[in-house]
Structures are given as C-alpha cells and as structure tokens.
C-alpha cells in the first residue's frame, strides 16, 4: 500500500534567494528515514492547512535526514510556507519519481541548461557530475532578469569547476529578448564542445525548442534529458493530475529522455504556447 | 462453477444480511442500504450511479494532523454485500481494483465487499457492453456471486471462493441444466437486441489512428460545459483532488472526485496549464477510455459500455455523440 | 460510501429547477448528489453547480446558532435571547417611526413557503408593504414589461418547447453558463437542426455554436428590435391574423418602425445590416420561434422598454401561445419565480394581486383576519435610500447578500450601517451578515420541506433529507417565532404543507395545487386551477390575461454612462457556469473555486495589447463609483472596447463599479454597462482584495495616473 499520509518534518532553516524565492532546509523527525533519493527525484511537502506540493531537492537528504529545497512563492501553499519560521512542523513524503540518469564516462562532456527556477532540479545532478569528474561540464542559465536569478551560492561555488553561461532575458539597455535558445550556438562555439549528454529543466516550450535545436546539430536524441513540472496531488500515480498521455509524470518522470517525451507529447490538440521563460 | 436455483431472492438477501450490511438499488435507481429482513424487489438495468463510490469514495478523509502528528484515517467499514451489480459495473470494479491496487483507502473498503452481480436480459438505453467486452454476461473474475432471472426464480452462480463461503448455511438446490441453457439463450438474445455499434468501432479506430483533427476536438470542447457529470458517473474514472480543512485544533486532508474536464485540473500555481484547451481536455477523456496505450497496461479499454456519459452530458458529447462525430472525420 | 437513502429534491442553484437525489450517509450527511433520470427538465443531467451541492451545504462553516453583535464581533446566543433583541428592536422602531420604517427582504433562494411567510410577516405582523427580494436586480423589468403587454410576467412557454422550436433566439442570456441544463437543451436542439440565433455583445458559448450571432453594442436592444420589425413589416412577414384577432396597437407599432431600417441602424447597433435582415427573415418566417432572454435585456435603464420591445417582436409574428414559441425570461435563482408569485414585492399580494386595489385588500384582509396597510411599500433600493435619509431603521433579511450583489455597494454598506436593527438569517457568514445586529441560523434546502417554482412556472417539491445543522430553523419557522414575540399568531403553522395550503387558498394561479398533486407528477405549472387542473405548459393559447395583447411602440434609450476620455472602456457583467450569485454556496467547492480563483476581468486581445497586459496580469479598474483590483484574462470572446467581470467574488465585486442609474419603471439599475478605466499594476504586485483596499487609504495616485 502507498500511503498518502506524510511523515512529520520540521522547517530547520531558510534564506532568501532571487525574487520571491527562498531556500528551505527541512528534516524528518521521529527517527524516520527515507530511502536515499537520486538527483532529480522529488518529494511532497505538506503545509498543514494549506495543502501539499511537489518540490525538488536542491540538496539531497544527508544521513541525518536534513535536506534543502528551493521554493518560489506562487500559490497558496508556497505563500503559507513563506509565512513559517524555523521549528514549524510540516509533513513530507518521498522520494518519488525517476531521477536523472547517472552519466557514463562515454557521455561527456555534459551540458546543463536551466531556465529560472528550473535550475533547482539540476543542482544535485551538477554536484554529482562535478564529484564524478568525468569531463567538462557547462551550464547555460537563463533568467527573466538579473534579479530573478536564483541559486547564487551554488553558481558562485561552481564558477571554476564548470563553464557557466548566463543569459538574461530582459536586462537594462538590451532590446531583444535573449533566451538559452538564442544563446545556444554562441555558447557551444565558445565552450568548444558538443555535449555527450544534456540535462535541462525550464519552461516546456523552451525545453522542446532546445531539444529540437540540439538534434538539428546532430546530437543524439537519446542523450537529451528533461525534467517536467506538473500539478500533483498524490505522487503515487492515482490522482490523475500530472498525466502526460498514458503516463503520470510523478511516476514515469519528472525526468524523461527526449525520445520518450517526444512520443508522450504528441497529441492531436496542442495547447497555447506558454511564455518562453516564466518560472 | 456451481449453479444453484434460487426460488426467492429474499432468501439470499436475508442470509447475507445476517453477517453483512446489504445494499441494493432503490426505486430511484440509486444504491441504498436495504433492510435485509424485508428487502425491496431487485431492479435490473443500470443504476444512476455505479458502485464506484463504495470503494473510491466521492469524498473521504486521508489524515488528521493535530499540530505534531499525522494520523492516517483509513475507513473501517463493516462487511457489506452489493446485491445486483450489473455486469458492466462489475468489470469497472475489476478495472479500478487494478488501478487502486496500492491505495489503502480503496482497499480497506474493497476487502469488506461481497459483489453479487445481476445480468441484464435487455439492453439499457445507451448501453453497449458487448462492444467493449463487459456484458451482458458477467465477466469471469469480476464477482463473487451472479444472479440471472430465469422464469419466476433465479439462477445463482458462485464465481469466487468468497462467494462460496458466503452461501454456507443456506439451503440451496443445484440448478438443472435447463436453467443454465435458458440463461445462455437469454444472454444471446439480449446481445442480439443491442443497436448497431459500428460508430463506436470506427470512432475507436479513428482515435487510435490519430486521424481525428484538432478542430473536431475543439468543436466538441465548445460543447463541454465542464459540469463533471461524465467523470462522476463513469464507473472507471478515478481522478481526485485534495484539500486541507481546519477545524478547532485539527487539520484534516480530504480527497474528492475530480474531473479532467475542468480547466483548473492541470493548471499550476504559475497559471501555466498544459491542458488549457477545452478540446484537448475532451480528447484526453476519450483517449483515457479508448486508447490502445492504456489497453496495454490494463488488458482492456477503460470503458465498460454503460452509456452513462451519454445520458448525463448536457453538452451532447457523451459516448455515442462523440464516436459518431469522430468516426465521420478524418 | 454512497447514501443510506436517496431523497428526491430540486437543485438549489438556478431557476431551471433540475431534479436530483441527495444521497444521505449514515452520519446524516449529504455524501453525494445524483441526477434524476426521469425528471422532465433535467433528464438525468446536472451542471457543475448542481454536482457540487454536497460542498455547498456542508456543515463546516455553517452558522449553527443565533449570534448577537457586540462591540468586538458576535457572541453566540440562544434563540430566546436573539428573539428578545429583535422584539425590542422592532418595537422601538415601530413606536417611534411606525411601520413604514421597517421592512423585510426575502430570498429568491428560499422556498415558496418561506417567501409566503415573509410577505405575510411584513404585511400582517409589521403592518407594512415594505417587502422585496432580489428580482429587482434580475427580472423586475420582465414583470413590469410583460404585465403591460401580455398581462403576465413569466416565461410563456416551457423548457420542453426548446425541443420543438424551429428557431431559437437567445437574447442577452448566457444560457450554458447560467442555466446550463437549458443551455444544453439549446445545444441539443441546434444539433438536431433548429436554427440558433444569439444576440449578445459577448461571444458566448452558444454564440460560437449559433447559425447567426449578432454581436451588438451594449444597450442597443430596442434599436435591433425596431430594425427587425421594420424589415418584418416591409416584407409582410408579420402574422396579420394574429395581430388582428389577438392584439391591439398594431398600426401604431408599424408606424413607429417606419424609419428604423437595418441599413439606417446597423452602425448604431454595431452589426452589419445583412445580419439584421437575415435574423428578420429567419424569425419572421419561422413556423415556431422561441425567444429566450436574460439580463442582457433587463439590466439597463431601458430594461422595461427592452422587454416590451421583445414582446412587440413576438406578438407581431404571432410567435406566442403555441408550443415552441413564446417570450421566455430565464430567471436567475432557484425560486425567483416563486418569490414573485408569493408576493414578495411591495405592490402585490400572492398571485400578483394588486395591493392598491381596495377590493383585493379587503379580500386578503378577511383571509388573514387582520388589517392591512394601504400604501405600496418600498423596494429594496427604496429601503436603502430611506435608510440613508434616516426614515427606515429596521430590516429583516434572509438568503441574500446585497453587499456583494447590489449595485453601488458603498451606498448599500452606508445604508446598513444607518439601521438600528438589521436581522440576517443565513447559512454562512456573508458580507451582509457581518453588518447585522442579530444573525440567525437558517436551514438549507436539504434540511426542509417545501416547494420551489422554476422559471417555467413549475412548482416542485423539495424534501428534507437531513436534520438542520445546529439550531438552524426554516425561514417560515423563525419568522413565525418573531411574530409570536410580537404577539401575532398569524404565522403559526404546524408544517410546510399547512403554509402551502394557506397560500394556495388565496393565490388563484396556485389554487389547484396540493402537496399530493405535486408528488404525483414532477410538479405542476401555473396557472393550475379549476380551469386547468393539470397546470399550463403554454400560456396565452387562446387569450391573454388582459384580453388582447398590447403592442406599445418603444424607442431607443441611451445607456446612462457611455465610455469617454476619462473612462474609455465599457464594463459589462457576466456570470460563470461555476458560480452562483455571491458565491456563498458555489465557492465552498474546492473544484469550482479552483476554476476561477481570483475574481477576474475578461478583456479583448486588442485592449490588452494597448494596455500592455499579459494573460493573468494584475490590474486596477476604476469607475466613477469605485476601485477594484483583479487579474485580466485575455479572450476574443469580447470585442475591443468592452470588458466584462463576473459578480460572484467578494474580493473583487464588480458591483463596486457598476452604475446605479435606474430603469424608471422597474427601478432596475443599469448593471450591464458602465464606463471604466483599467491600469496595469506594477510587475510582481498581486491584486488586493476590496477589503484590503478599503482598509488602506485610497490607492496611490501614481497608479491612477499611470
């Protein structure tokens, strides 16, 4: 049986980052343990009275079951979370879903692409890659504005370990919108590598366009991985909300290889295109 | 399989009522608790609501939180028998048994239930169970007991071990071969009476071939009022939403039937909505019921041919209306 | 678990009156609802609101016992205590200012029995005709207009007629959202081959499905009717036999439309002349054509004239008095027809019997065995104005939330604050109840017996399914308790059937009805009397209540507040399928609440572009009367220049902005159009609720000037 009742967790610490975004540290109470999560997996955070939302780990649980997550204040649950102080009792369930694959030595160099808060699910994958030291790693990070950038500490830390390319969509004095998609050719030329594996997370329209562009460049579709965001209420594949064709993102995702995702996204009625960078 | 002859249905009801609550359909075609000592007559045909709510409750609590601890609120129902579940609804229960195999709330109720099927001898309005392999004969492995009216009495077939046990202590005579033959004849006769289903076969084929164009779905999207009638009455629909409620010092999370036809079903807090097109949502519903993709996972289509969606859709996009539309377009 | 029992009743939301079963569980809760398959109107269907009924009536935030205002909020009290406060309050006012200073506002959501009790309480106990209900803000022009032209202000035909009509004209009504099951009938009719014509400034769902959509400018209804009549008379499409034998005034009407050709008026109406001609041809030549209309007709300063214009159109073509024809107002609330029928209006007794007629008054006085006031009473808005002048001091109100739903909220608030005694009976703490001196716990429709009358005049039984929550009472019961406090036994009934029987005994159109007879079939349509013991699905078949119908020429009336340089956009109001009235019931459903969570403004892509709005941008909206903040939804359902807001949301109530200019005949305010200015809020700033706007000072002037 898969319970929908969370374990007791505590809000340990937090710090602000970017516009309306905040890092939260949580820990499980009462000696409860989770199976060790993989980078790219997620957990369900309950703010009792407000509801439950899926969140990715920016730092995976340590042996004391402490972990970090980045949260953007957006709806009623995140707004309630932002009103809490350390010591608050919360609920947590997890880990859920399929994480990022562990790249093999034949899959270097590695390209990471993130839009806005989409950087969060890539943090622990980036850390793993740097630790594995397989080869060059590059990160293209797009944000709506300089103020909207998040995970500044991590980006600082990575500065000399990976090639970081920041793309600001709207910056003062700049007229044309510039997104990771626009920047891709320049970045790859500057970096001097073609990726052996690409991991990306950001608005779906951006990821779809990037994947197509990479494939046009001759990059194998099977080397491209994406992480999706969906409304979720159970994370056990029963509530139905995160459907993507005949799969549920909470179980078959949130990370998908491009060939699989491309099939799942085929449907006769397409929806309106969301803004390129909206996170 | 063991077949008994049952002269009086009330005999069975009284017997089951000694150890269980007994539920039957009332005159309003709704499931109601029956007085087992004085049960109402058994109605054939489709009930307005399927038996879905007995297991996947329309609303239920998931847990309570007292400020420090979460307490799972699993239902603890007394054993109960549903008498007169139509064959299509039995198939739907079997389908949901698969889907909710790991759901503790569903299973807590399901394990207390005894399913007594009732086979139809005439097609119901909008029904097409033979097309989707769900009736009129009860499908194997979907019930504990099955009733079939023969003459003034009933043919009672034991279809599970639980069913066999439930009859212990009841004095029954084995059914003569003629009764079994009459059942077969009545079922065959019933099947012959179903109207032509070519539009459904063609529609399902068109849906799976991907030959229905977007504008056809979008036109039907205009007709979808997002009332949630189809998903409420569909015996295999299983989506739910959750909500926290506070009262005094206790916070309760409840879940309740949701509908993928609502615009807000997939909308995220950022307002990004992967299914913001009503036509896409209508497509989703029918894809879920009739796609070969799901068929691979569940061994059958998600539709049991009850026709309730056609009966309850105010926008005229129930099964027959939709299949006629999509089987004509390519 | 599904219900232990299934209780048959009528949906509590709109005026369609769908049949449903309440499935009651072993803890006496309404666990679920189920559509009633054999119901003549709903035929096994429900709308989103109907399906959400268990949420709407769940006991969570229900008021469970009487509450008495204190300096810092409310304190729970016993019924005895609350009744005592009410008694002293009423006696004080009555002794100082007399019965003209008190009044009752009843509810189009409550049962006929409750409404009958309310008007009897006002007239027989308080001694005033100050009794009204919200029909004022939906269909008072219908009553005023059709009473003059036909002699009866109700839907002339039945829902079932939609199935047989050859042409359906949906005029200023968004049926699939507000009367969804009837809207569904219209979709069904269109699919089976009926011709569907929609007249609406917005591209409604039915407009998208229609054969012809006339996307008129707001406030041009009379121009359109007169252009249609011009065309009809020019081609001889009028039904001359019908005009000769059943109507009077045809010549004057014909003369009055001599110069109103489609070509001349097309620009003013905002649609091509060809569309008007096509509509005239289709309607004028139809064998049976049915007009269904809503608040796009009534909520104008020209409301009564608009209704009379539609009447002229239907009469001229003889499209009345037969199945599949007629002029059919779609009424908003589950029992707005009943509340009118019951005489919850300041000028009529039950059955529209004139208060000003001494013979009628004597008859009613004899029947009730008490003296009766001889002056017509105040309308709800009249009570508001009198309260502001200090002439009206005591109000008993139930099942209504005028603070949210009335035009010009600020004035309504001021008037409530001017009262010495405000008694509100409600299910939950509404915005209006917050201002009460005494709040009484009312029973929901699931907790009482009675009848509702739907928009097609069908009187249907509701049955009690669960016991009242806490100490809640049905409205006729607590009204009776107040009456007893005031020394009157005239509301001492033993059950709802006794109320119904007394009512039927004095209401000619209900005189042939009884609970037994209503139970035998799915209700009865009035008039139901000796002449029509099985009721009347189609009115005016052989004659009109006034003999011959009157054709009364009407002329265009300008909207009160056109857009101008300061307020360059026109605001109209609409309703959403997912919500109902002030939202006090529908918004309890987490599903319906999720559909449209914020209170919203619909705006055309063109206007959005000019204002640099994105979908869901936070915006401020200002009219000459108020200011709101909400979010924009961009949709090409609206033409450039016109924006629209639903009125369900107390955080962003459109009625903060709307115009109070009134139809001189019916006193209907012009809710359907006023002038506004929209400004985007700074990026990242969320819209504030009206409550927090009120709490803070006026909005920063920088925002106004941006």
């Amino acid at each position: 049986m898969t319970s929908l009742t969370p374990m007791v967790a505590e809000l340990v610490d937090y710090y602000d980052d970017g516009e309306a975004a905040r890092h939260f540290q949580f820990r499980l109470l009462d000696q409860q343990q989770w199976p060790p999560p993989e980078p790219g997996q997620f957990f369900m955070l309950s703010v009792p009275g407000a509801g439950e939302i899926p969140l990715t780990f920016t730092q995976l649980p340590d042996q004391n079951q402490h972990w970090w997550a980045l949260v953007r204040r957006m709806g009623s649950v995140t707004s309630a979370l932002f009103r809490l102080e350390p010591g608050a009792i919360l609920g947590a369930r997890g880990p859920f879903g399929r994480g990022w694959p562990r790249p093999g030595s034949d899959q270097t160099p590695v390209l990471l692409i993130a839009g806005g808060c989409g950087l969060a699910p890539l943090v622990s994958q980036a850390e793993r890659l740097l630790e594995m030291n397989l080869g060059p790693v590059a990160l293209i990070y797009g944000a709506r504005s300089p103020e909207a950038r998040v995970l500044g500490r991590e980006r600082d830390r990575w500065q000399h370990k990976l090639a970081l390319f920041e793309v600001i969509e709207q910056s003062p004095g700049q007229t044309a919108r510039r997104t990771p998609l626009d920047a891709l050719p320049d970045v790859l030329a500057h970096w001097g590598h073609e990726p052996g594996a690409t991991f990306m997370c950001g608005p779906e329209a951006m990821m779809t366009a990037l994947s197509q562009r990479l494939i046009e460049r001759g990059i194998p579709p099977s080397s491209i991985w994406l992480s999706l965001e969906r409304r979720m209420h159970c994370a056990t594949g029963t509530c139905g909300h995160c459907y993507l064709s005949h799969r549920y993102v909470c179980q078959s995702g949130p990370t998908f290889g491009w060939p699989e995702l491309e099939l799942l996204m085929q449907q006769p009625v397409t929806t309106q295109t969301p803004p390129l960078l909206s996170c | 399989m063991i077949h008994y002859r049952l002269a009086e249905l009330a005999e069975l009801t009284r017997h089951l009522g000694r150890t269980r609550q007994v539920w039957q359909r009332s005159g309003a075609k709704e499931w109601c608790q029956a007085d087992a000592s004085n049960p109402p007559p058994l109605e054939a045909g489709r009930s307005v609501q399927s038996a879905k709510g007995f297991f996947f409750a329309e609303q239920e609590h998931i847990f309570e939180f007292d400020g420090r601890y979460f307490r799972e609120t699993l239902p603890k129902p007394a054993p109960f028998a549903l008498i007169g579940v139509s064959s299509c609804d039995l198939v739907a229960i079997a389908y949901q048994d698969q889907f909710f195999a790991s759901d503790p709330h569903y299973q807590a109720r399901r394990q207390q239930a005894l399913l007594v099927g009732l086979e139809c001898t005439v097609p119901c309005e909008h029904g097409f169970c033979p097309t989707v392999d769900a009736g009129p004969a009860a499908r194997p492995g979907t019930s504990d007991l099955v009733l079939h009216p023969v003459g003034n009495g009933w043919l009672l077939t034991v279809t599970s071990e639980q069913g066999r046990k439930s009859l212990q202590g009841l004095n029954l005579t084995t059914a003569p071969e003629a009764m079994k033959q009459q059942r077969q004849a009545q079922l065959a006769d019933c099947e012959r009476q179903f109207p032509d289903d070519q539009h459904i076969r063609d529609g399902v084929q068109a849906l799976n071939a991907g030959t229905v164009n977007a504008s056809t779905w979008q036109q039907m999207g205009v007709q979808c009022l997002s009332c949630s009638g189809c998903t409420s009455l569909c015996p295999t629909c299983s989506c739910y939403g959750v909500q926290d409620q506070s009262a005094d010092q206790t916070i309760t999370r409840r879940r309740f039937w949701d509908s993928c036809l609502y615009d807000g079903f997939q909308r995220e807090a950022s307002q990004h909505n992967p299914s913001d097109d009503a036509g896409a949502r209508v497509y989703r519903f029918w894809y879920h019921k009739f796609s070969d993709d799901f068929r691979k996972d569940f061994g059958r289509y998600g539709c049991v041919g009850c026709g309730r969606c056609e009966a309850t859709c105010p926008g005229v996009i129930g099964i027959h209306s939709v299949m006629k539309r999509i089987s004509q377009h390519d | 678990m599904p219900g232990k029992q299934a209780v048959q009743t009528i949906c509590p939301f709109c005026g369609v009156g769908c049949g449903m079963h309440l499935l009651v569980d072993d803890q006496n809760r309404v666990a679920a609802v189920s559509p009633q398959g054999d119901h003549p109107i709903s035929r096994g269907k429900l709308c989103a609101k109907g399906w959400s009924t268990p949420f709407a009536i769940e006991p969570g935030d229900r008021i469970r016992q009487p509450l008495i205002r204190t300096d810092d909020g409310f304190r729970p009290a016993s019924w005895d205590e609350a009744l005592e406060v009410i008694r002293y309050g009423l006696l004080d006012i009555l002794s100082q200012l007399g019965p003209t200073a008190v009044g009752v506002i009843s509810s189009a959501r409550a049962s006929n029995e409750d409404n009958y009790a309310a008007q009897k309480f006002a007239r027989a106990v308080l001694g005033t005709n100050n009794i009204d209900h919200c029909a004022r803000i939906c269909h008072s022009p219908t009553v005023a207009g059709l009473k003059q032209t036909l002699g009866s202000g109700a839907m002339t035909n039945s829902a079932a007629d939609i199935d047989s009509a050859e042409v359906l004209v949906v005029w200023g009504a968004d049926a699939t959202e507000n009367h969804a099951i009837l809207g569904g009938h219209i979709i069904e009719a269109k699919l089976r081959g009926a011709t569907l014509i929609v007249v609406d400034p917005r591209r409604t769902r039915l407009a998208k499905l229609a054969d012809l959509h006339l996307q008129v400018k707001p406030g041009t209804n009379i121009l359109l009717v007169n252009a249609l009549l011009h065309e009809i008379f020019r081609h001889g499409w009028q039904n001359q036999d019908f005009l000769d034998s059943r109507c009077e005034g045809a010549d004057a009407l014909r003369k009055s439309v001599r110069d109103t050709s489609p070509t001349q008026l097309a620009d003013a109406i905002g649609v091509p002349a060809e569309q008007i001609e096509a509509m005239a041809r289709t309607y004028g030549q139809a064998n049976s054509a049915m007009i269904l209309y809503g608040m796009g007709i009534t909520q104008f300063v020209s409301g009564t004239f608009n209704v009379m214009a539609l009447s002229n159109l239907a009469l001229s073509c003889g499209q009345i008095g037969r199945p599949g024809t007629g002029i059919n107002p779609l009424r908003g609330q589950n029992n707005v027809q009943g509340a009118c029928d019951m005489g919850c209006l300041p000028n009529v007794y039950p059955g529209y019997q004139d208060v000003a007629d001494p013979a009628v008054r004597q008859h009613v006085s004899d029947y009730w065995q008490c003296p009766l006031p001889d002056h017509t009473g105040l309308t709800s808005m009249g009570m508001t104005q009198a309260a502001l002048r200090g002439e009206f001091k005591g109000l008993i109100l139930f099942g209504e939330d005028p603070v949210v739903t009335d035009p010009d909220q600020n004035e309504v608030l001021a008037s409530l604050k001017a009262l010495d005694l405000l008694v509100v009976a409600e299910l939950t703490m509404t915005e209006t109840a917050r201002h009460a001196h005494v709040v009484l716990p009312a029973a929901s429709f699931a907790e009482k017996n009675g009848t509702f009358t739907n928009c097609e005049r069908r009187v249907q039984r509701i049955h009690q399914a669960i016991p009242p929550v806490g100490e809640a009472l049905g409205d006729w019961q607590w009204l009776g308790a107040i009456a007893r406090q005031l020394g009157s036994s005239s509301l001492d009934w033993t059950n709802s059937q006794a109320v119904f029987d007394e009512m039927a005994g004095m209401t000619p159109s209900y005189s042939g009805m009884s609970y037994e007879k209503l139970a035998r079939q799915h209700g009865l349509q009035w008039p139901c009397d000796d002449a029509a013991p099985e009721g009347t699905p189609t009115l005016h078949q052989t004659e009109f209540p006034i003999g011959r119908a009157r054709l009364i020429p009407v002329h265009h009336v300008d909207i009160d507040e056109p857009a101008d340089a300061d307020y360059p956009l026109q605001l109209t109001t609409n309703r959403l399928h997912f919500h109902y009235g002030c939202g006090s019931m529908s918004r309890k459903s987490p599903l319906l609440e999720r559909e449209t969570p914020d209170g919203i403004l619909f705006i055309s892509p063109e206007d959005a572009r000019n204002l640099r709005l994105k979908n869901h941008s936070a915006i401020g909206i200002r009219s000459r009367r108020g200011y709101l903040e909400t979010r924009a939804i961009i949709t090409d359902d609206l033409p450039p220049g016109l924006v629209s807001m639903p009125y369900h949301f107390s955080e962003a109530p459109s009625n903060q902005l709307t115009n109070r200019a009134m139809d001189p005949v019916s006193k209907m305010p012009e809710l359907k159009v006023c002038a506004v200015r929209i400004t985007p809020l700074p990026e990242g700033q969320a819209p504030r609720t009206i409550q927090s706007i009120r709490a803070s000072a006026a909005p920063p002037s920088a925002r106004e000037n941006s």
Side-chain angles (χ1 to χ4, degrees), chain B residues 295-329:
Chain B
R295 196 183 196 179
K296 282 179 205 124
D297 293 345
F298 287 87
R300 61 159 296 115
Y301 285 137
C303 170
V304 298
C306 68
R308 288 183 177 97
C309 52
E310 185 71 30
T312 207
C313 178
V316 205
I317 45 169
I319 173 78
H320 297 291
S321 307
V322 165
M323 290 296 159
K324 279 175 193 154
R325 287 269 274 274
I326 68 173
S327 61
Q328 283 161 10
H329 286 79

Side-chain angles (χ1 to χ4, degrees), chain A residues 129-279:
Chain A
L129 288 164
L130 295 177
E131 203 171 289
M132 288 168 75
N133 202 13
L134 292 173
V137 178
L139 165 63
I140 308 177
Y141 180 45
R144 192 165 19 84
S145 65
E147 300 74 34
R149 286 175 300 174
V150 292
L151 290 148
R153 293 183 189 181
E154 284 73 8
R155 282 181 285 119
D156 283 351
R157 198 163 66 223
W158 295 336
Q159 225 140 60
H160 303 293
K161 300 180 183 168
L162 52 68
L164 175 60
F165 302 92
E166 295 196 1
V167 187
I168 303 300
E169 194 178 341
Q170 304 161 335
S171 53
Q174 173 189 315
T175 45
R177 274 161 46 104
R178 199 166 149 80
T179 69
L181 186 66
D182 309 316
L184 186 68
D186 293 354
V187 165
L188 291 182
H190 193 267
W191 189 34
H193 300 285
E194 289 292 307
T198 304
F199 303 99
M200 61 175 96
C201 182
E204 258 168 69
M206 178 192 93
M207 292 196 289
T208 308
L210 277 166
S211 302
Q212 284 158 351
R213 194 68 57 81
L214 287 167
I215 292 161
E216 283 162 21
R217 290 181 68 102
I219 287 163
S222 58
S223 73
I224 301 169
W225 298 83
L226 309 83
S227 178
L228 292 197
E229 191 177 356
R230 279 292 181 279
R231 184 183 186 110
M232 292 178 188
H233 291 308
C234 72
T236 63
T238 56
C239 80
H241 287 265
C242 65
Y243 70 77
L244 183 66
S245 188
H246 63 298
R247 295 284 173 245
Y248 295 110
V249 172
C250 68
Q251 297 206 302
S252 301
T255 68
F256 290 92
W258 174 252
E260 184 189 6
L261 189 63
E262 196 184 19
L263 282 176
L264 292 174
M265 283 184 155
Q266 277 174 2
Q267 57 162 2
V269 195
T270 47
T271 57
Q272 291 167 20
T273 312
L276 217 51
L277 273 183
S278 66
C279 170

Side-chain angles (χ1 to χ4, degrees), chain C residues 150-151 245-248 542-550:
Chain C
L150 311 177
S245 61
R246 302 279 313 269
C247 308
E248 59 187 42
T542 51
E543 62 171 352
F544 293 93
I546 50 171
R548 291 166 82 93
R550 289 189 200 112

Side-chain angles (χ1 to χ4, degrees), chain C residues 451-610:
Chain C
T451 55
F452 290 157
T453 306
N454 80 349
C455 64
E456 44 151 40
R457 301 169 275 105
R458 186 186 299 271
V459 182
Q460 306 189 88
R461 274 301 312 276
I462 59 166
H463 292 97
Q464 181 174 4
I466 53 173
V469 163
E471 296 175 24
L473 289 177
D475 300 313
W476 64 262
Q477 291 168 304
W478 60 257
L479 282 162
I482 299 176
R484 280 189 291 282
Q485 285 283 318
L486 298 173
S488 166
S489 60
S490 56
L491 273 68
D492 282 356
W493 298 287
T494 49
N495 55 32
S496 68
Q497 188 167 7
V499 189
F500 188 89
D501 290 344
E502 181 184 310
M503 178 278 295
M506 70 170 293
T507 308
S509 54
Y510 283 66
S511 60
M513 295 183 197
S514 67
Y515 274 15
E516 292 79 26
K517 235 171 123 180
L518 293 175
R520 275 208 298 277
Q521 34 220 316
H522 291 288
L524 289 163
Q525 288 174 275
W526 65 250
C528 175
D529 50 24
D530 289 345
E534 298 306 312
T536 312
T538 308
L539 294 181
H540 317 315
Q541 292 191 53
T542 51
E543 62 171 352
F544 293 93
I546 50 171
R548 291 166 82 93
R550 289 189 200 112
L551 294 159
I552 303 169
V554 285
H555 302 284
H556 173 69
V557 179
D558 280 329
I559 55 173
D560 182 70
E561 191 185 59
D564 57 23
D566 290 339
Y567 297 92
L569 292 169
Q570 284 188 322
L571 171 76
T572 189
T573 52
N574 66 295
R575 288 178 285 169
L576 304 170
H577 175 197
F578 306 103
H579 290 298
Y580 175 72
C582 57
S584 66
M585 283 161 73
S586 53
R587 294 193 70 188
K588 286 170 73 176
S589 160
L591 298 168
L592 302 189
E593 181 69 352
R594 185 185 64 196
E595 282 300 273
T596 44
D598 277 316
I600 35 179
L601 175 113
F602 296 101
I603 187 166
S604 69
E606 191 172 323
D607 289 331
R609 213 164 26 246
N610 292 339

